[in-house]
Amino acid sequence: MLWNSLQFEDGRIAHQEVMMSVKQPEAEEDVIELLWRLTTHALETGQAFELGEFYSMPETVFGQYGFAGVYVTAPFYFDESFFIHHGDASFDEPEHVLPVWFVPIFESEVDYLVQQGMDAFDEIIDATEDELLDLTRQPLI
């Protein structure tokens, strides 16, 4: 998605890259399918992924784990250098590219997100160490 402009609801234009990290190597195909679906959605609609959004999980992805969907956040488990990519003009890359990290979440976490809001949910996930990378984790709420 690096070379495609996407638009936020407020009209700002951005370039984004999608990412997801999991500990289970056997989930690679599900990760690829999910990121492909999300990328296709963004490219077809032209809409940028907003931090704090929730996308329902396709039935064919991560079915054995019981997740309701994925939460859109910044890659806060990673070094600060992951927060923005500075493009290389010699390759015609955009000046800034925002990485978007998708975190699988459970129905109870979705309910909390809806009831308490993004800031409250972010406080909970920010307090985790690497639990969000484990598809066999227990719900945080």
Side-chain angles (χ1 to χ4, degrees), residues 17-29:
E17 281 298 326
V18 298
M19 61 184 288
M20 180 176 226
S21 301
V22 299
K23 289 183 176 182
Q24 288 72 20
E26 66 274 10
E28 179 181 7
E29 288 184 25

Side-chain angles (χ1 to χ4, degrees), residues 32-93:
I32 292 169
E33 180 179 346
L34 181 60
L35 292 179
W36 176 79
R37 286 176 180 238
L38 290 163
T39 299
T40 300
H41 168 76
L43 294 175
E44 287 177 349
T45 64
Q47 295 176 333
F49 294 106
E50 302 263 0
L51 297 181
E53 286 183 321
F54 166 78
Y55 288 88
S56 295
M57 189 71 71
E59 290 181 19
T60 58
V61 178
F62 300 134
Q64 68 272 34
Y65 301 108
F67 293 108
V70 289
Y71 180 69
V72 180
T73 189
F76 61 87
Y77 276 180
F78 304 93
D79 183 83
E80 253 181 56
S81 65
F82 274 86
F83 287 19
I84 191 163
H85 169 73
H86 299 284
D88 187 336
S90 65
F91 291 105
D92 290 329
E93 291 181 353

